[in-house]
């Protein structure tokens, strides 16, 4: 079941649960069901929050397949398909298309730091290889490259480039990209803490880390923004903001995995080089969860 663009709302950047070093399929499928039952608008497996750098290609593909199968058309699935190797990104995108994903999320190539023309050619090659909608994932803080508005506008002219997950934390980008590309370009925030402001600038939603832990509240926040009820949105922002901060006290997704373990959803286990959080961070996360009202 395909879902029409533009995608709007709160989309969870799903964690990948592990148990004894292996991907925990049952916990993952249960997590997908819980997310949908709580009112989330879409799912994004095997992005950075899903520890894509340390899952194997076979594991990556399995997680995408499980997400599509478990969602069963109830919400859109934007499958992570990023790599700093264009050939690998094409392979992951083709697999996502075959698996039945609604779109793919492709991060700007990290570490090898391509210039703007290299970025353009990377995405163009993926665009030419698949028939799925493609979201650019622009996150300079992790990839160390920043796609310019001009390059994004060039890419938006291609058939399958439909939107961006913007994690630049530069709120002016939303308006700059609207001016350069138009309001039809699907802009999703990649940062929970500034998603409310992102929406006020004309965004369509958020690919959220915090919605792993608080899917209902995160969905309600973005729904309020879409409805233009910024009074309600601000009330929810105030309730959630400590959680937005706490989940990044240490590197994502370790705090999120701890929070989910407290809720009984997964085992608190990451894959090296990620490690569980410190006791001090646990206290911070617990306090934020209590503030949000998501602990009994």
């Amino acid at each position: 079941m395909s879902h029409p663009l533009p995608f709007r709302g709160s989309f969870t950047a799903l964690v990948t649960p592990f148990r004894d070093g292996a991907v925990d399929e049952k916990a993952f499928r249960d997590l997908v069901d819980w997310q949908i039952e709580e009112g989330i608008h879409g799912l994004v497996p095997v992005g950075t929050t899903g520890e894509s750098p340390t899952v194997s290609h076979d594991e990556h593909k399995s997680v995408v397949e499980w997400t599509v199968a478990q969602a069963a058309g109830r919400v859109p699935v934007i499958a992570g398909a990023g790599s700093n190797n264009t050939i690998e990104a094409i392979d992951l995108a083709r697999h996502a298309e075959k698996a039945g994903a609604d779109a793919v999320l492709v991060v700007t190539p990290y570490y090898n730091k391509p210039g703007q023309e290299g970025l353009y050619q990377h995405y163009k090659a993926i665009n030419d290889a698949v028939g799925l909608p493609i979201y650019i994932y622009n996150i300079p803080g992790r990839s160390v490259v920043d796609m310019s508005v001009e390059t994004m506008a060039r890419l938006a002219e291609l058939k399958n480039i439909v939107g961006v997950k913007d994690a630049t934390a530069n709120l002016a980008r939303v308006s700059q990209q609207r001016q350069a590309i138009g309001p039809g370009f699907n802009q999703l925030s990649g940062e929970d803490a500034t998603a409310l402001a992102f929406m006020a600038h004309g965004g369509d939603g958020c690919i959220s880390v915090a919605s792993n832990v608080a899917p209902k509240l995160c969905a309600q926040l973005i729904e309020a923004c879409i409805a233009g009820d910024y009074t309600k949105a601000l009330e929810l922002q105030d309730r959630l903001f400590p959680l937005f901060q706490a989940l990044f006290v240490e590197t994502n997704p370790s705090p999120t995995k701890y929070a989910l373990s407290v809720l009984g959803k997964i085992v608190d286990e990451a894959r090296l080089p990620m490690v569980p959080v410190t006791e001090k961070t646990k206290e911070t996360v617990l306090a934020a969860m209590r503030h949000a009202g998501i602990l009994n």
Side-chain angles (χ1 to χ4, degrees):
M1 179 179 180
S2 61
H3 297 265
L5 293 167
F7 292 155
R8 307 189 81 192
S10 181
F11 287 66
T12 301
L14 291 163
V15 302
T16 301
F18 298 116
R19 183 184 288 270
D20 299 325
V23 179
D24 188 339
E25 180 179 354
K26 183 182 185 305
F28 183 82
R29 287 180 178 269
D30 289 347
L31 182 64
V32 167
D33 280 339
W34 178 63
Q35 289 281 320
I36 295 171
E37 289 161 6
E38 289 287 290
I40 208 66
H41 303 111
L43 299 168
V44 185
V46 280
T48 311
T49 303
E51 293 177 78
S52 57
T54 51
V55 297
S56 70
H57 286 183
D58 286 343
E59 289 171 329
H60 181 123
K61 292 174 180 179
S62 291
V63 170
V64 171
E65 291 167 8
W66 299 339
T67 310
V68 172
Q70 203 66 27
R74 290 177 288 173
V75 296
V77 174
I78 306 175
S83 175
N84 60 350
N85 177 336
T86 306
I87 293 170
E88 288 183 0
I90 288 171
D91 177 63
L92 293 173
R94 283 176 169 162
H95 172 266
E97 184 170 28
K98 183 179 178 182
D102 295 278
V104 290
L105 179 68
V106 179
V107 69
T108 49
Y110 40 86
Y111 191 74
N112 43 14
K113 295 179 66 176
Q116 295 301 311
E117 185 60 25
L119 288 172
Y120 177 82
Q121 294 298 337
H122 175 76
Y123 283 93
K124 183 178 184 302
I126 302 166
N127 171 88
D128 293 349
V130 298
L132 275 182
I134 297 167
Y135 283 80
I136 298 161
Y137 182 12
N138 195 24
I139 182 166
R142 282 190 183 261
S143 67
V144 202
V145 289
D146 184 5
M147 182 179 288
S148 69
V149 175
E150 294 75 18
T151 300
M152 198 171 293
R154 284 181 70 197
L155 285 168
E157 295 174 359
L158 301 177
K159 178 183 177 183
N160 295 318
I161 308 290
V162 300
V164 61
K165 176 185 177 182
D166 189 308
T168 63
N170 178 359
L171 292 171
R173 284 291 181 90
V174 193
S175 294
Q176 291 167 348
Q177 285 154 188
R178 279 174 65 86
Q179 292 294 310
I181 307 170
F185 191 65
N186 201 183
Q187 296 200 65
L188 303 174
S189 170
E191 185 183 68
D192 283 300
T194 58
L196 186 156
F198 188 98
M199 295 296 291
H201 278 252
D204 296 298
C206 180
I207 296 179
S208 170
V209 172
S211 61
N212 277 283
V213 182
K216 183 178 291 184
L217 292 174
C218 289
Q220 290 172 346
L221 170 59
I222 300 301
E223 286 168 0
C225 292
I226 291 170
D229 188 350
Y230 281 93
T231 299
K232 180 179 179 181
L234 186 57
E235 291 173 358
L236 288 161
Q237 173 83 353
D238 288 342
R239 185 172 168 184
L240 284 165
F241 190 72
L243 184 66
F244 295 162
Q245 293 188 301
L247 296 182
F248 287 87
V249 168
E250 293 186 39
T251 304
N252 175 49
S254 292
T256 303
K257 285 194 153 183
Y258 169 68
L260 281 168
S261 74
V262 172
L263 295 175
K265 302 299 180 184
I266 68 170
V267 172
D268 184 16
E269 182 178 325
R271 185 171 281 178
L272 287 171
M274 305 306 298
V275 294
V277 296
T278 64
E279 291 301 317
K280 183 178 180 180
T281 295
K282 288 179 181 180
E283 293 171 7
T284 301
V285 170
L286 287 173
M289 292 172 74
R290 293 190 190 99
H291 181 87
I294 57 177
L295 281 182
N296 295 330

